Amino acid sequence: MKRLTYILALLPLLFASCEKVIDFDMEETERFVVLNSRAETDSTISAHLTYSRFFLDNGTFENVTDATAWLDVNGTIYNGAHSSKGNYIFPYVPKPGDSLTMHVQVPGRDELTAAARMPLTAGISNLSYVAVHDSSVYEWEVYYTDRMNVTFTLSDPGSEENYYRLRVLWDDTALCHQWTDRFQDTLFEDQYDRWYTVYTIQDLSLVNNTDLGSLIDNENGQYDGSSLLFTDANINGKSHPILLQVHPPVDHGELLVSSHPNITIFVESLSRDYFLYLKTAMAQSDEGLNSFFTEPTRIHSNVHGGRGIFGAVSTSKATIRTTLKP
């Protein structure tokens, strides 16, 4: 066991010094094989293999190009082929309910295995919207806040525990006001291509509903972002109405005032391991940005004999053509 010591010297008027000792195993400096794969119901399965590197090493990650990889799907074997840069392709498009086990053999190393089950898809129905155009006074000018109040019904399969990610795609050519030295009325076009946009949801049944931990600390159950992770703990087997306040993409200080977007709701049913991987990855990112003194979060992995994640996603989606007028 080796001891690594670092010293933090911040705000010298308040702190003389702040010292912390971290123990780490020298084996952690050795390189592991890292497998990253996301099985989806609309495409063949691929996996990316690399070697890990020590966190003090600023070099690039080395791709694994000499592995033998195969995929067991409900007892049937599909051999993987290396395409380029550590990417391996398996000739199979998974279906909900499939049991998948990925095997990787790198010369001179133990075999890697990772298992995932393709989750059942959720149902989306009753998709509708109401365009909202609010005006507010900012200093001497009037500006507008546009949004779509989007509602739909999520039908949760009751036969198993389900883990979800909710995303909203905004796809349109937008007309925008232009900022100069004063607020101008001139409109110009700005193309937004398949933009996963920000939305607000306030729903205690979905937000903060799991004992697996939460990224949102809000007693009102409100989430503002573009990628809500939730479980079916409070809606198991039910049809649950969902209301989203969908905010148009705004770039470089420009205010969107007229648009006719296609809005697509994506409800991704996630395997439990992939759900935990996303939660812990987002938690680590959030802690790193917002709390210098917070202990780092260990990223969840389901790869035995190495590192990484083998996740499974079954996606439901629904699209509605909208009109947002000033």
Side-chain angles (χ1 to χ4, degrees):
M1 185 73 71
K2 184 177 179 180
R3 298 173 67 84
L4 173 66
T5 303
Y6 64 87
I7 297 177
L8 305 176
L10 301 174
L11 303 178
L13 295 179
L14 298 178
F15 305 99
S17 67
C18 183
E19 181 178 291
K20 182 172 183 178
V21 177
I22 298 178
D23 293 329
F24 73 97
D25 195 325
M26 285 299 294
E27 291 183 358
E28 293 296 326
T29 67
E30 297 180 0
R31 298 200 307 172
F32 293 93
V33 176
V34 180
L35 182 157
N36 285 298
S37 178
R38 170 184 159 122
E40 302 182 69
T41 51
D42 60 354
S43 60
T44 55
I45 298 175
S46 64
H48 187 218
L49 297 176
T50 61
Y51 291 107
S52 66
R53 60 176 173 81
F54 187 48
F55 72 96
L56 293 178
D57 181 3
N58 293 323
T60 60
F61 291 96
E62 179 184 352
N63 295 316
V64 179
T65 60
D66 59 349
T68 301
W70 63 98
L71 183 69
D72 184 327
V73 182
N74 307 320
T76 301
I77 302 299
Y78 296 85
N79 292 318
H82 179 252
S83 58
S84 64
K85 299 180 179 179
N87 293 303
Y88 292 76
I89 308 299
F90 302 87
Y92 182 76
V93 178
K95 301 181 296 295
D98 280 346
S99 294
L100 313 173
T101 303
M102 188 172 292
H103 302 260
V104 174
Q105 181 66 68
V106 177
R109 292 177 175 267
D110 293 336
E111 180 183 315
L112 274 69
T113 60
R117 179 182 178 275
M118 298 299 298
L120 302 179
T121 55
I124 300 177
S125 60
N126 304 321
L127 179 60
S128 63
Y129 79 97
V130 175
V132 179
H133 187 73
D134 297 329
S135 63
S136 304
V137 176
Y138 178 73
E139 294 182 353
W140 62 86
E141 302 290 354
V142 176
Y143 73 97
Y144 298 93
T145 303
D146 295 329
R147 70 177 185 271
M148 293 287 187
N149 287 346
V150 178
T151 59
F152 66 96
T153 300
L154 171 66
S155 298
D156 174 75
S159 57
E160 60 182 36
E161 294 181 349
N162 297 291
Y163 306 89
Y164 295 113
R165 178 165 66 170
L166 175 61
R167 297 198 288 177
V168 179
L169 187 70
W170 183 288
D171 187 6
D172 192 33
T173 298
L175 296 176
C176 306
H177 272 307
Q178 184 175 14
W179 284 93
T180 55
D181 56 337
R182 289 178 60 81
F183 191 73
Q184 302 295 316
D185 290 330
T186 302
L187 294 175
F188 67 100
E189 289 189 354
D190 197 353
Q191 181 71 40
Y192 294 98
D193 292 327
R194 301 186 64 80
W195 183 292
Y196 284 106
T197 193
V198 173
Y199 58 85
T200 299
I201 179 172
Q202 187 168 351
D203 190 330
L204 287 171
S205 296
L206 305 184
V207 181
N208 288 341
N209 70 342
T210 171
D211 59 3
L212 296 174
S214 175
L215 303 180
I216 306 107
D217 184 14
N218 189 316
E219 62 182 9
N220 295 320
Q222 179 169 310
Y223 169 84
D224 295 280
S226 60
S227 187
L228 175 66
L229 296 167
F230 64 97
T231 78
D232 68 345
N234 294 329
I235 61 170
N236 185 41
K238 300 178 182 178
S239 294
H240 183 75
I242 295 177
L243 169 62
L244 306 176
Q245 294 182 359
V246 179
H247 308 289
V250 178
D251 195 18
H252 303 302
E254 298 151 3
L255 298 182
L256 185 70
V257 297
S258 180
S259 186
H260 305 277
N262 287 322
I263 292 180
T264 303
I265 303 297
F266 287 86
V267 177
E268 297 176 336
S269 299
L270 312 175
S271 60
R272 185 178 186 275
D273 284 314
Y274 192 49
F275 174 84
L276 291 175
Y277 168 80
L278 292 173
K279 294 268 299 183
T280 52
M282 292 174 67
Q284 184 183 71
S285 175
D286 181 70
E287 290 170 354
L289 290 173
N290 298 318
S291 180
F292 185 81
F293 294 100
T294 303
E295 291 290 340
T297 302
R298 180 177 291 275
I299 303 298
H300 180 77
S301 173
N302 65 342
V303 178
H304 300 280
R307 300 288 188 270
I309 187 68
F310 181 32
V313 183
S314 299
T315 302
S316 298
K317 64 181 180 179
T319 300
I320 189 169
R321 180 67 171 171
T322 68
T323 300
L324 180 59
K325 297 181 178 180

